[in-house]
Structures are given as C-alpha cells and as structure tokens.
C-alpha cells in the first residue's frame, strides 16, 4: 500500500512500525516482550506515535522531540518516564505508576497529559516533577501521590517550570497517613488555569497536615475557574502569589 510500511516482528522483542504519510506509528506490545525503549530510540525524526499495549515495566527515557506515548486498551507503564530536552512530547490514554519520581521533565521539555494517570506510591517522591519544563494537563487526567506517609508531592514545579490546565477536568491529589501535599510551586514557576472549561480538583487527604497547594518564593498561581476550582486542604503562600 502506497505510503504505508509494515513490519510484523511483534512478539519477537521488536516493535511494529508503520508509516502513514510523513507520520510514523509504532505498535509496541509489552505483553509480547516488545521493547518500549528500543521503539523510542529507533523512531525516525519528526512526529512519532508509539501505541502501547499491555504492561511495560522499567525506567524509560526520551531525549528527543516529537514522541507520543499512547495507550491502547488500558495499557500501563510500571516504573518511570524521564524527559530530557524533549519538546512536543505527548502522553495520552496511558497509566504510569512508579515507586520513585514517576514522570520527570528536565531541560525545557514539554508534555501534554491527555486522559492520562500519573501516580507514585512512594511518599518521598513525586508523581510529576518539572525542572525548567512545561506540563500541559487536562482532559480527565489524574496526577496522584498515594502512600502511607508523604514527604513528596503529587506535583513539584521548580526552576521556572509551569503547569497549564487545558480544560475538560484535571484531578491532582495526595493521599497519605499523617502528612499530604498535592502541589508545590517553587523557584519562579507557575501554575496557570487560563481556561474556564471543566473543573480542577486539588486534594490533600491526611490525618494531620493537609497542604493542597504551596506557592513558594517568586512562584505564581493564577486561575480563571470561579466556582469550578475545588481545593480540599490548605492553600499556603511561602513568598509566592
């Protein structure tokens, strides 16, 4: 078929790519031992969608632009994903669960989260961490720190990073035994809600300390969701606005 190239090595540890026009789509079935990291590393330049089936276990790295990780039929990653100078990355219809920092962005990386669930089950770490990077989230995505105790956050923004809500609902939550913190915004970073569509819930559930949102020195929290911003826990300013 003109414009389409298929390889049928799926199940042999090699992902199955096909090209549609100038866009490459790679089918990766981790339940059949396809290698997700190899699919990322071997993708051609330009926009590439990696369609993930099954459960991929491991710590995965993206250090290039234009990679989309899209889940199929409830796919999930158990481990972590690190973006390093990876712009125009996208995570859609995918669950990522880790026992450390689950999704980390460094060096001006950018990622939209669409129909995604990002969770850490270790309270000393964060579900989403951004250093000099941008997270764009909405469309029924969930970011969660779920643990017995919690000294980390569901979301940590630092070093001029930003989290921007794009509509259609977003939930950020921290559930812990004694102390919980949902969002920490530090070091001239920004948490922005410029649209009025849908609702945002920021929830901290704990027996003692419940910090839903902490805004540190030079940081900013801005929202345009009157009546549709739900905060359960304390809103704290530590020098921010």
């Amino acid at each position: 078929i003109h414009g389409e190239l298929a390889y049928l090595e799926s199940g042999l540890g090699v992902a199955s790519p096909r090209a549609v026009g100038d866009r490459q789509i790679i089918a990766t079935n981790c339940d059949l031992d396809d290698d997700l990291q190899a699919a990322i590393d071997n993708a051609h330049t330009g926009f590439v969608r990696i369609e993930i089936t099954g459960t991929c276990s491991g710590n995965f790295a993206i250090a290039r632009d234009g990679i989309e990780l899209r889940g199929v039929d409830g796919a999930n990653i158990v481990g972590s994903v690190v973006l390093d100078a990876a712009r125009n990355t996208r995570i859609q219809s995918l669950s990522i669960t880790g026992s450390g920092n689950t999704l980390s962005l460094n060096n001006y990386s950018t990622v939209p989260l669409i129909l995604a669930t990002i969770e850490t089950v270790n309270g000393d770490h964060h579900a989403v961490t951004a250093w000099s990077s941008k997270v764009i989230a909405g469309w029924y995505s969930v970011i969660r720190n779920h643990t017995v105790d919690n000294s980390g956050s569901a979301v940590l923004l630092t070093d001029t990073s930003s989290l921007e809500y794009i509509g259609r609902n977003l939930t950020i939550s921290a559930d812990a035994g004694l102390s919980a913190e949902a969002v920490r915004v530090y070091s001239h970073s920004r948490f922005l809600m410029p649209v009025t569509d849908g609702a945002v819930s920021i929830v901290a559930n704990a027996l003692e300390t419940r910090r839903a949102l902490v805004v540190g020195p030079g940081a900013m929290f801005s929202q345009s969701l009157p009546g549709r911003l739900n905060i359960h826990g304390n809103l704290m300013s530590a020098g921010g606005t």
Side-chain angles (χ1 to χ4, degrees):
I1 300 173
H2 179 70
E4 182 164 328
L5 181 63
Y7 297 93
L8 302 178
E9 295 98 347
S10 182
L12 301 176
V14 181
S16 303
R18 66 186 188 274
V20 180
D22 59 354
R23 176 175 298 188
Q24 186 182 34
I25 300 176
I26 302 175
T28 301
N29 190 334
C30 289
D31 288 348
L32 296 178
D33 295 327
D34 286 350
D35 189 331
L36 176 57
Q37 188 62 60
I40 295 168
D41 294 342
N42 296 329
H44 69 37
T45 58
F47 179 81
V48 177
R49 176 190 298 164
I50 300 176
E51 295 183 345
I52 300 170
T53 304
T55 298
C56 303
S57 299
N59 301 310
F60 303 99
I62 300 175
R64 48 153 292 179
D65 298 346
I67 293 287
E68 176 184 356
L69 301 180
R70 179 175 294 201
V72 178
D73 296 331
N76 60 89
I77 291 174
V78 177
S80 67
V81 174
V82 176
L83 309 182
D84 188 7
R87 298 164 182 83
N88 300 318
T89 311
R90 182 184 180 106
I91 296 174
Q92 181 167 333
S93 304
L94 185 64
S95 174
I96 307 175
T97 302
S99 58
N101 292 330
T102 304
L103 175 62
S104 301
L105 290 78
N106 305 293
N107 296 324
Y108 308 101
S109 295
T110 304
V111 63
L113 302 177
I114 309 294
L115 295 167
T117 298
I118 314 295
E119 179 177 23
T120 184
V121 293
N122 186 329
D124 293 330
H125 295 85
H126 314 283
V128 173
T129 308
W131 296 77
S132 302
S133 296
K134 183 176 184 178
V135 180
I136 305 165
W139 280 83
Y140 308 101
S141 290
V142 176
I143 303 172
R144 181 167 53 223
N145 188 326
H146 183 73
T147 184
V148 174
D149 200 6
N150 187 356
S151 59
S153 309
V155 174
L156 172 65
L157 304 176
T158 190
D159 196 16
T160 64
S161 292
S162 65
L163 170 60
E164 183 173 332
Y165 170 64
I166 55 172
R168 297 292 181 92
N169 298 346
L170 172 65
T171 299
I172 303 172
S173 68
D175 304 291
L178 296 178
S179 176
E181 181 177 281
V183 181
R184 178 177 290 268
V185 189
Y186 261 38
S187 302
H188 303 283
S189 296
R190 301 179 298 165
F191 185 177
L192 306 175
M193 300 181 188
V195 301
T196 58
D197 172 75
V200 174
S201 296
I202 305 173
V203 179
N205 289 316
L207 294 176
E208 295 182 2
T209 306
R210 298 180 299 153
R211 296 184 294 267
L213 176 62
V214 179
V215 183
M220 182 178 70
F221 170 67
S222 175
Q223 64 96 7
S224 302
L225 288 165
R228 290 189 293 274
L229 173 61
N230 306 308
I231 294 182
H232 180 70
N234 297 320
L235 175 62
M236 300 176 60
S237 175
T241 57

